[in-house]
Amino acid sequence: MKKAVENLLETACRVLSGLQDDPKAFELARVRFLGRKGELAQLFKELGKVSEQERREAGRLLNEAKSRLETLFSEALDKRRELDAARRESIDVSVPGRRPPAGRLHPITQTATEICRIFNWLGFETVEGPEIELDYYNFEALNIPKDHPARDMQDTFYISEDVVLRTHTSPIQVRTMEKRKPPVRVIAPGRTYRRDSDVTHTPMFHQVEGLMVGKGISFGDLKGILTTFVHQMFGPSVGLRFRPSFFPFTEPSAEVDIECVMCRGKGCRVCKGTGWLEILGSGMVDPEVYKYVGYDPEEITGFAFGMGIERIAMLKFGIDDLRLFFENDLRFLKQF
Ligand code: DAH
């Protein structure tokens, strides 16, 4: 009996250590040794055949073997569970990575960058100015005194008597000339604000201001630079025209129209049948403005221009609703 018990334990150990972590094989082994009809039970049955003198000793051996087997199996089970848990927590380096979603620039930012890039290429330096602006820079020094009717053109957000949210980027002209001696060639993008809100106006929008002043700069330079810009921005075949206009800070003044990008000048809903779209205001800097910044109007001439970035972006990308720029709907923004 002793020999049989030893054999049984030895076999059980070997089987257990040879088990891969297959739960089915593990259960089969358990039944084989510890089951009701298993090998151990078989030995217990044989106890009856053992002589009286030896039975006590044989019984003790069998009971010991039973508890030894149970320990072996429960230890093996614990070990398997540990391994399983470890495997679940470990990182599988062979799984393909998840790509982080790529962001992109807002179409307004893209358009502003493109406008500045073209003017940088033409020798203009990019500068900026404050959005909360003094009445002096926003109006006064641009030849728009306090009760000038031209102030009605721009519904202003007043912060106090003397402080406003800038209604255009033109004050940057004045700030730049105040700080620098001519010649000056700058391009200035930024946010602007007006008390206006409907389908075609938002209280905050964007403009780019340009300024080129120095000795001997003429209206011919204005036409040349702005024509080059339009051809770079909208393609060399697009038609453009300079149309007389008025701004208090330029004389003479001109607005630039381009051939309608939707109908190619034939006349449609977007250009209201005219075939033309206005894209910017411009003119020769008024001598009055030079007086505010200490330039000599007898010596210095130059031109300035300003344009709305939303408008340029709408024409460039064929967008027909201004509000799309401000809703931040990803389905819209992802297209650019
Ligand atoms: N500031 C003008 C506006 O907001 C645009 C403008 C027109 C700017 C003529 C200029 C200019 O510099 O010369 O409508």
Side-chain angles (χ1 to χ4, degrees):
M1 180 59 81
K2 189 166 180 207
K3 190 85 194 132
V5 169
E6 273 169 10
N7 271 341
L8 174 66
L9 282 174
E10 200 182 303
T11 324
C13 275
R14 195 158 15 86
V15 168
L16 264 181
S17 66
L19 278 184
Q20 304 295 332
D21 41 318
D22 174 2
K24 261 190 210 145
F26 180 86
E27 182 57 15
L28 278 176
R30 202 189 59 78
V31 172
R32 171 177 165 192
F33 295 103
L34 282 165
R36 256 193 303 143
K37 290 179 183 162
E39 294 189 16
L40 184 70
Q42 220 58 47
L43 288 180
F44 268 104
K45 266 189 198 158
E46 276 170 34
L47 211 50
K49 296 179 199 157
V50 173
S51 66
E52 291 262 357
Q53 306 97 294
E54 287 173 28
R55 195 171 298 155
R56 236 183 119 85
E57 176 61 7
R60 194 183 57 78
L61 276 175
L62 279 177
N63 277 325
E64 258 180 32
K66 188 179 177 205
S67 71
R68 176 91 187 101
L69 271 180
E70 281 168 353
T71 315
L72 277 176
F73 274 91
S74 84
E75 276 174 4
L77 190 64
D78 285 350
K79 204 164 145 204
R80 250 217 9 250
R81 292 208 174 117
E82 262 172 45
L83 270 173
D84 273 359
R87 198 170 306 126
R88 244 175 281 124
E89 278 164 27
S90 71
I91 294 165
D92 181 350
V93 291
S94 68
V95 173
R98 247 170 291 158
R99 211 174 266 285
R104 61 196 73 204
L105 296 175
H106 193 282
I108 293 298
T109 309
Q110 286 183 35
T111 307
T113 307
E114 175 66 4
I115 296 169
C116 289
R117 190 193 62 76
I118 294 168
F119 281 103
N120 292 159
W121 169 70
L122 287 165
F124 289 64
E125 180 192 339
T126 305
V127 294
E128 285 182 68
E131 289 171 37
I132 299 172
E133 186 55 287
L134 290 173
D135 182 286
Y136 174 79
Y137 290 109
N138 196 78
F139 294 121
E140 205 80 19
L142 285 165
N143 199 27
I144 316 173
K146 275 252 183 311
D147 29 85
H148 194 285
R151 286 207 181 194
D152 295 344
M153 282 161 64
Q154 309 184 350
D155 293 305
T156 311
F157 285 111
Y158 279 91
I159 289 177
S160 70
E161 179 83 1
D162 304 317
V163 182
V164 302
L165 292 184
R166 69 180 176 198
T167 58
H168 50 180
T169 40
S170 299
I172 302 174
Q173 286 185 32
V174 184
R175 285 181 173 275
T176 306
M177 287 191 280
E178 223 178 42
K179 277 196 294 249
R180 302 183 183 191
K181 286 196 178 345
V184 165
R185 233 190 301 190
V186 290
I187 187 86
R191 293 193 187 91
T192 47
Y193 301 85
R194 290 185 201 179
R195 288 184 46 186
D196 223 344
S197 187
D198 58 36
V199 183
T200 53
H201 297 88
T202 49
M204 189 278 287
F205 56 104
H206 299 77
Q207 284 192 344
V208 174
E209 188 77 12
L211 175 73
M212 177 167 172
V213 291
K215 279 188 187 153
I217 294 170
S218 68
F219 199 87
D221 294 309
L222 177 157
K223 288 184 76 175
I225 293 278
L226 293 180
T227 301
T228 305
F229 164 72
V230 166
H231 287 161
Q232 286 286 316
M233 194 72 194
F234 293 102
S237 63
V238 74
L240 75 160
R241 67 179 183 187
F242 291 80
R243 188 169 33 75
S245 183
F246 170 80
F247 299 100
F249 34 91
T250 46
E251 184 58 37
S253 306
E255 280 175 315
V256 174
D257 298 341
I258 62 169
E259 224 168 52
C260 180
V261 290
M262 306 293 171
C263 64
R264 284 267 145 189
K266 285 196 207 74
C268 67
R269 197 179 49 86
V270 175
C271 58
K272 300 195 179 83
T274 64
W276 295 98
L277 297 162
E278 181 217 315
I279 61 157
L280 60 84
S282 66
M284 300 305 290
V285 176
D286 195 299
E288 281 301 315
V289 176
Y290 292 135
K291 289 188 196 157
Y292 283 97
V293 298
Y295 283 13
D296 179 0
E298 295 300 320
E299 196 189 354
I300 298 301
T301 55
F303 63 89
F305 55 90
M307 67 188 103
I309 300 180
E310 279 79 3
R311 187 161 175 82
I312 303 283
M314 288 171 85
L315 298 176
K316 178 111 179 135
F317 294 124
I319 297 162
D320 61 3
D321 188 344
L322 174 71
R323 292 167 295 188
L324 288 165
F325 290 130
F326 300 98
E327 284 166 356
N328 283 336
D329 184 333
L330 285 180
R331 290 169 303 178
F332 170 72
L333 295 177
K334 274 182 176 165
Q335 299 174 73
F336 304 97

